[in-house]
Amino acid sequence: MTHRLAIYDMDRTVTFNGTYTGFLIHVARAMAPWRLILLPCVVLLMLAYVLKLLSRQRLKELNQALMIGFHVERARLMPHVESYADKVLATNLRADAVAQIARDRADGYRLVLATASYRLYVEPIARRLGFDAVIATDHLTQDLRYVRAKIAGENCYDTGKLRMIKAWMAAQAIDRTQTHIRAYSDHVSDAPMLEFADVPIASNPHKPLAKLAAVRGWTRVDWN
């Protein structure tokens, strides 16, 4: 094969816990602690999502607007993004996942972190872990001097994540027929990505993915 890719989901695959809420609270506490009083509104928005009154994408945009603001100077925000990445590495990484990342690197795989979390804070985490590429949810103002609470294009989730992986591969001139892919995820929403892989691995799977992995004969790992 010409190419080797190891594609990892991030939240609860490489990390123990989700990172998005922690990111919002970390930044709010550092930049505008008064916003923490708005946390009950975040809970209400989550309820609205569960009741299908909001899309997952809109939920993320509104939560960011509440906890960080609609429009934030990137230069003010980035020191707190970097400190959050340090916090994730210090307190929220699965040691076995880090070891597998190292093995894939040693085996000659290009390491790709594909996650629904925002590129804004995923890239600093990925850089610290030695990933070669990031496929993630982008802000509309990804390359500008300010950050808006608005998603550009798709939320990198479910079938959207697979579309974004395929688009990234096309941009990198990576031919699927000449590529061997390992993929790791904890969540059944990543079934499209796992189906796409040559070696799908259910990593710390929740019950729906564990059941699907058993039916499909996918490898299961439970990382500490």
Side-chain angles (χ1 to χ4, degrees):
M1 288 292 179
T2 303
H3 303 280
R4 291 182 173 186
L5 300 178
I7 306 177
Y8 286 77
D9 177 47
M10 185 173 74
D11 287 0
R12 298 183 180 86
T13 300
V14 174
T15 66
F16 283 105
N17 302 305
T19 58
Y20 180 57
T21 301
F23 168 69
L24 294 178
I25 293 173
H26 179 87
V27 173
R29 184 176 287 126
M31 294 186 66
W34 64 267
R35 288 186 179 274
L36 296 176
I37 66 175
L38 300 175
L39 277 172
C41 298
V42 172
V43 175
L44 290 175
L45 288 172
M46 179 59 73
L47 178 60
Y49 167 71
V50 170
L51 294 174
K52 303 186 184 302
L53 300 176
L54 287 177
S55 67
R56 179 177 288 265
Q57 179 163 329
R58 188 58 177 152
L59 172 68
K60 292 171 73 170
E61 291 172 343
L62 291 173
N63 281 341
Q64 181 177 327
L66 284 172
M67 301 306 296
I68 298 178
F70 286 99
H71 186 283
V72 183
E73 287 288 334
R74 190 175 296 272
R76 288 186 58 229
L77 183 59
M78 288 313 296
H80 308 301
V81 172
E82 293 289 341
S83 65
Y84 182 65
D86 288 336
K87 182 178 180 180
V88 170
L89 261 69
T91 65
N92 195 18
L93 283 187
R94 294 182 184 273
D96 291 344
V98 174
Q100 183 61 50
I101 290 166
R103 284 192 290 270
D104 283 338
R105 184 186 300 111
D107 287 344
Y109 282 78
R110 188 173 181 182
L111 301 173
V112 181
L113 194 58
T115 172
S117 297
Y118 279 120
R119 181 182 301 275
L120 178 73
Y121 72 85
V122 171
E123 284 190 336
I125 294 170
R127 185 173 65 247
R128 286 160 171 78
L129 290 172
F131 276 86
D132 301 299
V134 169
I135 300 168
T137 303
D138 284 311
H139 285 95
L140 188 63
T141 51
Q142 183 67 35
D143 300 318
L144 301 182
R145 66 180 180 86
Y146 58 89
V147 176
R148 284 178 56 199
K150 184 70 175 176
I151 289 174
E154 286 192 89
N155 189 32
C156 187
Y157 183 78
D158 200 272
T159 55
K161 181 183 286 190
L162 180 57
R163 281 191 291 272
M164 293 171 75
I165 290 170
K166 289 180 176 179
W168 175 82
M169 290 175 64
Q172 297 290 313
I174 297 174
D175 184 343
R176 179 66 185 92
T177 64
Q178 297 298 313
T179 305
H180 188 270
I181 299 176
R182 295 175 179 172
Y184 305 83
S185 180
D186 71 292
H187 199 272
V188 73
S189 65
D190 277 330
M193 177 183 76
L194 294 169
E195 291 276 11
F196 184 64
D198 297 289
V199 181
I201 301 171
S203 313
N204 329 301
H206 71 155
K207 287 183 179 179
L209 180 57
K211 290 179 180 179
L212 180 63
V215 170
R216 301 289 173 85
W218 295 345
T219 298
R220 171 176 175 162
V221 295
D222 292 285
W223 288 336
N224 295 316

